[in-house]
């Protein structure tokens, strides 16, 4: 079984064509800019969307251990044991369990429904997250089945996993989107909670068995220096099977999800994404003879 | 409606015409009413078809005519542009009641002068009292039919008693290539073989005489325009305009009497036929159809001979579009809600396959699309036909226009439409040559008479009545439907059967009301001008109203709110029967009380009910079952002209007025609010994006509903952006063809709609913010972030 936080059909920015995007729940990294914080933990997790709450008090009444605060209906995360009773009773889509367990056949059934659209757009399936490799057994079995059924497959990975796990998934994957967040391991450690040695090692190994698209999230003031990007380009240049480098400009759309999870958003005062800077970085990549793309994003300022 | 800022065309002439157009106020024209009334007074006792032909002739000879500066296509159906032609013979009672509020009414007001009111009240209304179709109809339909069919909103059949049936397309290809003198001669020849001593010849003699009078009348109107152009030419000082007027005078001397020789002549001829149709009977959907096909030889020859440049062709098309926008369909206050927006539903169609099955897309197809982008008026409606092998370039052009957010073009799938046409008995060549009339209705050019709108019913009332034992909660708790029993102790299947019993009852009543209306058109308002241009009528000597056309099909009954019914059934099944968390008493109580003080129940239902539009068989199967049921019921009754009735699933605007009379529904919709339109999901309940919508809608058997089906789909701004956005739309369209859905059109969500989404989040729950590697719904973002996105969207599109 795989734990999935969301399945988004008609996805258009993560791989070619029209795709179904599967968000696996659980990630080894804790990137400060993460826009899907609900996918970080590998367990069922209750979010509380306060704007939907109608203060009916049903959750307060049903909680068996008193983990709901009277008046605010906040969840006391220290004592909540995630029995999900408040989720079941909430009429307002305010308390939601963002984790659903799927068997491989169930998930196949889910993605099969859009086959016509994949076919007409050269699209397919992209497994994202969270980190797909955290649930490598499930993902590998699923992608293998997809390929048997003639469905194009892609994964989006942070690269932080045992090589065997990555290998087991990559062998059934048509497109690998591989994130490199910073070339300096110390800074990488600060930004994401882990060093980058394993990630870079995996990228190099992966190169011998699969084509790779390197993705760099561009976070103003954190990893967007010319030096860092140039180092990333140089590293990528050494890969024999490099498709292209994609730049993913920072956007703040994940911010309100942090409040749903009662987590702190650390990037509140980040400076806005500048279009010129992004275009310069794109040109920089191209000057190395590497294909470069900027993913569409409303949050790029002139 | 009266937008001062309009789109700009590359042509100065068109921009000037657009400036002028947007200063016009829709107004009332009573010239035709006066002339028809006079002629009818003087011809009492003569055959009705002759009286109508004589009145048409008098109108052609006496009506006011004018030519505006800059126009390349000339002529109008009314005394001035955007004026509504009042035809008293169909219905005059409503105008008698509404004349003093006509200029202030909420939907589609018209300016009216005191002098006009005086004439109407003194000589028009009194003459027609008791003589109109509407007057006869109300006296002839049975009492129990009247109870449900008149002003209840549950079914609505009145529209065909209020105006000409319209929904027809003369054989433009034949007319343009032969000229109407050819038809006159044919009629004369037929006439020479008939004999007054033979009783069955008598009606035919009248028919042919009426045809000759009507066609000669249109020629005389064209000559009046030729003379006017000539006169203006003499007075004109600008040499360019002088030359244009000279040319126009020559063109109108020639067409429509003789075949067109050039592109310009062909378009002017088309326009004379178009205004002739509107003059004979104020009605909907006179539709020139496949203009890119029958105009192509003229275009090609003019380009080859360097008679016209590519730009001049485009300019003529844009001039034609401006003329279309001058026509209107004049309706009562009630009817204007069903057909809102001064819409005459004049449809032109491009693309698709030719009668021999080969690709029909050509240079003109693209020009008619380009002209729509330049001019962007509410009429004509632009329809495109696509099929499995449509060129990608064509799909991209369609996508580009779709992105502009005007709702055009309406996109139709040849694979489904051709099957529909074959079901009506058409030959395969005729079926492949279908065009659209009105909104989305497939039609065989010049060969068909088909009321595509014989009556409206709503699916939602059926579930309301099943839960109330036939009582209409919004009609003063009157027993309007049959008593199908107390639902409290019913099984789910019994409840479904009760719902079907109500649907069947609605349909039976429409059938009665409709065939009587059909009969009255045959008796009181034959259409000799239109009949002469429809294949079969001339051959048989019979008017379209008595079955003269080669293909007589319909009338059609149009169902609205299938998503509301399906969602209601799915909600009841899930909560009352499957998980038993809500009792039937609670459900009925909530509906009777419009969910007031039952907030938690309402929220629970809204958030947890399966809804049509999410590719979920649990609910989608009800949509298939109920539309199949309606199809079987409708097609079991015979029409006045012989064939069985046909089914359609497109609402025009009727989902709004129908919604007014439907109580709260089990799935959480509140009383009086609009229903879902056509086959579209209920706004805001489709949570899984456009592919899931298409999958759900594909579960309806579109090809059975041969009057047409309709799907409106919202496209969010994150999808349609840039060249990639056009490719995405093209890929969606290919999938739409594969899914055997019949029709789709897109509304692109712009910043204004996003603001609307902030105000009414329930209606926009499905709006997904699409950014790489991220997922969220727009309405779930905090207010500041929403504002921010709106700001950014303004720049992005």
């Amino acid at each position: 079984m795989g734990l999935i936080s969301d399945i988004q059909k008609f996805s258009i920015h993560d791989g070619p064509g029209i795709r179904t995007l599967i968000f696996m729940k659980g990630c080894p990294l804790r990137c400060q800019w993460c826009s899907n914080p609900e996918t970080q933990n590998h367990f069922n997790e209750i979010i509380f969307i306060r704007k939907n709450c109608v203060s009916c008090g049903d959750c307060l009444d049903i909680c068996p251990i008193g983990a709901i605060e009277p008046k605010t209906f906040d969840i006391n995360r220290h004592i909540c044991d995630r029995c999900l009773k408040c989720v079941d009773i909430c009429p307002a889509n305010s308390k939601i369990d963002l984790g659903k367990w799927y068997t491989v056949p169930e998930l196949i059934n889910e993605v099969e429904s859009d086959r016509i659209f994949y076919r007409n757009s050269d699209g397919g399936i992209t497994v994202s997250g969270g980190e797909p490799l955290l649930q490598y057994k499930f993902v590998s079995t699923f992608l293998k089945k997809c390929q048997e059924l003639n469905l194009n497959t892609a994964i989006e990975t942070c690269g932080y996993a045992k090589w065997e796990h990555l290998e087991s998934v990559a062998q059934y994957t048509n497109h690998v989107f591989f994130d490199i967040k910073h070339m300096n391991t110390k800074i990488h450690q600060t930004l994401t909670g882990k060093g980058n040695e394993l990630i870079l090692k995996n990228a190099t190994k992966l190169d011998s068995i699969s084509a790779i698209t390197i993705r760099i999230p561009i976070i103003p003031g954190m990893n967007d220096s010319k030096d860092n990007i140039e180092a990333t380009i140089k590293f990528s240049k050494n890969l024999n099977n490099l498709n292209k480098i994609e730049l993913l400009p920072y956007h703040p759309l994940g911010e309100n999800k942090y409040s749903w999870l009662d987590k702190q958003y650390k990037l509140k005062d980040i400076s806005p994404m500048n279009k010129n800077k992004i275009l310069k970085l794109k040109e920089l990549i191209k000057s190395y003879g590497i294909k470069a793309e900027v993913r569409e994003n409303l949050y790029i300022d002139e | 409606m009266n937008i001062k800022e309009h789109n700009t065309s590359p042509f100065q002439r068109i921009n000037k015409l657009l400036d002028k157009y947007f200063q016009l106020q829709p107004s009332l024209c009573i010239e035709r009413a006066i002339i028809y009334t006079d002629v009818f007074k003087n011809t009492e006792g003569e055959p009705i078809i002759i009286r109508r032909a004589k009145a048409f002739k008098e109108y052609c000879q006496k009506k006011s005519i004018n030519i505006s500066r800059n126009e390349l296509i000339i002529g109008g159906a009314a005394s001035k542009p955007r004026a509504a032609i009042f035809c008293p013979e169909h219905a005059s009672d409503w105008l008698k009641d509404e004349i003093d509020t006509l200029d202030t009414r909420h939907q589609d007001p018209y300016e009216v002068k005191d002098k006009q009111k005086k004439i109407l009240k003194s000589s028009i209304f009194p003459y027609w009292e008791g003589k109109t179709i509407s007057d006869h109809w109300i006296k002839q339909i049975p009492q129990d039919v009247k109870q449900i069919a008149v002003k209840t909103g549950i079914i609505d059949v009145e529209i065909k008693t209020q105006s000409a049936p319209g929904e027809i397309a003369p054989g433009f290809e034949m007319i343009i290539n032969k000229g109407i003198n050819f038809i006159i001669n044919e009629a004369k020849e037929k006439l020479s073989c008939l004999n007054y001593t033979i009783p069955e010849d008598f009606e035919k003699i009248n028919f042919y005489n009426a045809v000759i009078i009507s066609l000669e009348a249109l020629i005389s109107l064209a000559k009046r325009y030729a003379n006017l152009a000539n006169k203006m030419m003499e007075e004109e000082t600008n040499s360019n305009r002088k030359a244009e007027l000279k040319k126009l005078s020559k063109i109108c001397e020639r067409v429509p009497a003789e075949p067109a020789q050039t592109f310009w002549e062909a378009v002017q001829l088309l326009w004379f036929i178009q205004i002739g149709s509107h003059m004979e009977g104020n009605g909907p959907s006179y539709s020139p159809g496949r203009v890119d096909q029958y105009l192509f030889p003229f275009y090609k020859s003019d380009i080859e001979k360097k008679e016209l440049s590519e730009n001049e062709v485009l300019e003529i098309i844009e001039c034609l579009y401006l003329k279309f926008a001058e026509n209107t369909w004049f309706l009562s206050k009630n009817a204007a809600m069903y057909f809102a927006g001064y819409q005459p539903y004049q449809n032109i169609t491009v693309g698709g396959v030719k009668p021999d099955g080969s690709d029909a897309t050509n240079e003109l197809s693209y020009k008619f699309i380009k002209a729509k982008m330049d001019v962007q008026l509410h009429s004509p409606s632009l329809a495109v036909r696509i099929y499995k092998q449509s060129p990608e370039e064509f799909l991209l052009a369609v996508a580009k226009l779709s992105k502009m957010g005007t709702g055009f073009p309406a996109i139709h799938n040849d694979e489904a439409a051709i099957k529909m046409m074959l079901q009506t008995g058409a030959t395969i060549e005729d079926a492949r040559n279908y065009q659209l009339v009105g909104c989305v209705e497939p039609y065989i050019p010049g060969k068909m008479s088909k009321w595509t709108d014989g009556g409206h019913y709503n699916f939602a009332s059926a579930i309301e009545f099943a839960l109330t034992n036939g009582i209409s909660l919004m009609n003063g708790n009157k027993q309007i439907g049959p008593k199908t029993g107390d639902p409290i102790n019913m099984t789910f299947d019994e409840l479904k059967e009760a719902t079907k019993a109500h649907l069947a009852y609605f349909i039976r009543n429409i059938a009665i009301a409709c065939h009587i209306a059909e009969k009255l058109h045959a008796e009181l308002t034959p259409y000799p001008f239109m009949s002469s241009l429809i294949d079969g009528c001339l051959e048989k000597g019979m008017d379209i109203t008595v079955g003269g056309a080669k293909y007589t099909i319909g009338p059609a009954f149009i169902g609205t709110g299938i998503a509301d019914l399906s969602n209601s059934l799915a909600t009841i099944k899930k909560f009352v029967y499957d998980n038993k968390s809500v009792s039937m008493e609670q459900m009925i109580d909530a509906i009777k009380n419009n969910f007031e003080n039952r907030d938690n129940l309402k929220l629970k239902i809204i958030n947890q009910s399966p809804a049509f539009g999410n590719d979920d068989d649990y609910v989608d199967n009800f949509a298939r079952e109920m539309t199949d049921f309606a199809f079987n019921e409708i097609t079991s009754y015979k029409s006045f002209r012989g064939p069985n009735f046909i089914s359609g699933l497109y609402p025009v605007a009727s989902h709004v007025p129908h919604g007014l009379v439907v109580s709260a529904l089990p799935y959480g919709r509140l009383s009086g609010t609009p229903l879902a339109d056509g086959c579209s999901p209920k706004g805001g309940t489709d949570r899984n994006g456009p592919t899931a919508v298409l999958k759900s809608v594909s579960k309806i058997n579109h090809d059975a509903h041969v009057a047409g089906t309709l799907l409106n789909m919202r496209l969010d701004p994150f999808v349609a952006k840039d060249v990639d956005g056009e490719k995405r739309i093209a890929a969606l369209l290919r999938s739409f063809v594969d899914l055997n859905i019949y029709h789709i059109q897109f509304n692109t969500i712009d910043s204004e709609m996003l603001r609307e989404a902030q105000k009414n989040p329930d209606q926009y729950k499905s709006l997904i913010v699409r950014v790489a590697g991220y997922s969220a719904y727009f309405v779930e973002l905090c207010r500041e972030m929403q504002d921010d996105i709106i700001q950014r969207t303004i720049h992005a599109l």
Side-chain angles (χ1 to χ4, degrees), chain B residues 702-721:
Chain B
H702 293 264
D703 36 26
H705 306 279
V706 303
T709 65
L710 179 142
L711 167 62
N712 274 320
M713 195 154 90
R714 283 178 183 152
L715 267 190
D716 62 61
F718 318 101
V719 169
K721 232 183 115 191

Side-chain angles (χ1 to χ4, degrees), chain B residues 283-390:
Chain B
S285 315
Y286 296 111
S287 298
R290 304 193 78 184
V291 282
D292 63 339
Q293 302 306 298
Y294 59 77
L295 291 175
F296 187 73
F298 299 95
Y299 156 79
K300 200 162 169 253
S301 137
D302 280 8
I303 292 290
E304 274 168 12
K305 289 189 207 146
K306 299 204 163 33
E307 194 81 27
L308 286 177
S309 69
E310 298 282 355
N311 265 341
E312 284 166 335
V313 169
L314 187 60
E315 196 177 25
I316 289 174
I317 294 172
E318 294 186 9
C319 281
L320 174 68
Y321 279 4
L322 271 143
K323 296 305 285 184
F324 276 113
E326 289 179 1
N327 287 342
T328 187
W329 177 28
F330 189 43
L331 291 168
S332 69
K333 183 176 131 205
N334 177 48
M337 284 179 64
Y338 284 77
F339 306 94
Y342 302 103
Q343 216 1 306
Y345 303 99
Q346 308 163 103
N347 203 310
I348 61 168
T349 307
V350 300
V353 297
K354 291 180 186 170
D356 67 3
S358 63
D359 184 28
T361 321
N362 63 35
E363 291 94 319
L364 273 186
S365 321
Y366 294 96
K367 284 209 160 55
F368 278 96
I369 292 177
K370 171 73 168 66
K372 192 76 195 168
M373 292 181 177
D374 289 347
V375 177
Q376 289 194 9
L377 294 163
H378 71 297
S379 189
S381 307
L382 178 64
V384 299
R385 290 177 42 174
I386 62 172
Y387 70 113
K388 286 195 169 137
Q389 296 180 59
S390 285

Side-chain angles (χ1 to χ4, degrees), chain A residues 6 8-14 18 23 35-36 49 51-52 54 56 58 88 90-93 113-114 116-117 119-121 156 215 248 251-257 260 295-296 298-301, chain B residues 600 603-604 607-608 615 687-688 690-692 694-695 718-719 721-722 724 728 731-732 734-736 738-739 768-776 779-783 785-786 788-789 792-793 796:
Chain A
D6 195 13
Q8 185 178 296
K9 293 185 174 170
F10 196 62
S11 287
I12 50 185
H13 298 121
D14 298 281
I18 294 171
F23 292 89
S35 65
N36 297 322
I49 305 181
K51 66 183 272 193
N52 290 355
V54 292
C56 65
D58 286 358
D88 292 338
C90 176
N93 259 9
S113 60
D114 273 9
I116 282 180
F117 302 96
R119 194 179 70 206
N120 284 316
S121 65
E156 264 189 295
R215 281 187 148 182
L248 276 67
H251 63 77
L253 292 165
E255 182 181 341
N256 62 326
K257 291 182 180 173
W260 300 348
R295 294 320 300 174
E296 279 177 49
L298 289 170
Y299 283 84
I300 305 172
D301 288 335
Chain B
N600 274 17
L603 277 171
K604 176 174 157 155
N607 287 318
Q608 296 172 13
D615 195 10
R687 293 270 289 172
N688 290 326
T691 61
L694 288 171
K695 285 294 299 293
F718 318 101
V719 169
K721 232 183 115 191
D722 299 336
D724 279 351
R728 273 173 213 134
L732 278 179
R734 297 238 180 250
S735 308
F736 148 85
D738 288 343
L739 287 165
I768 293 172
V769 180
R770 289 173 205 278
V771 177
Y774 167 82
S775 86
V779 297
E780 279 171 6
L781 299 175
C782 62
R783 179 75 192 203
M785 202 160 279
Q786 290 177 350
D788 200 31
I789 287 186
R792 290 167 186 278
T793 307

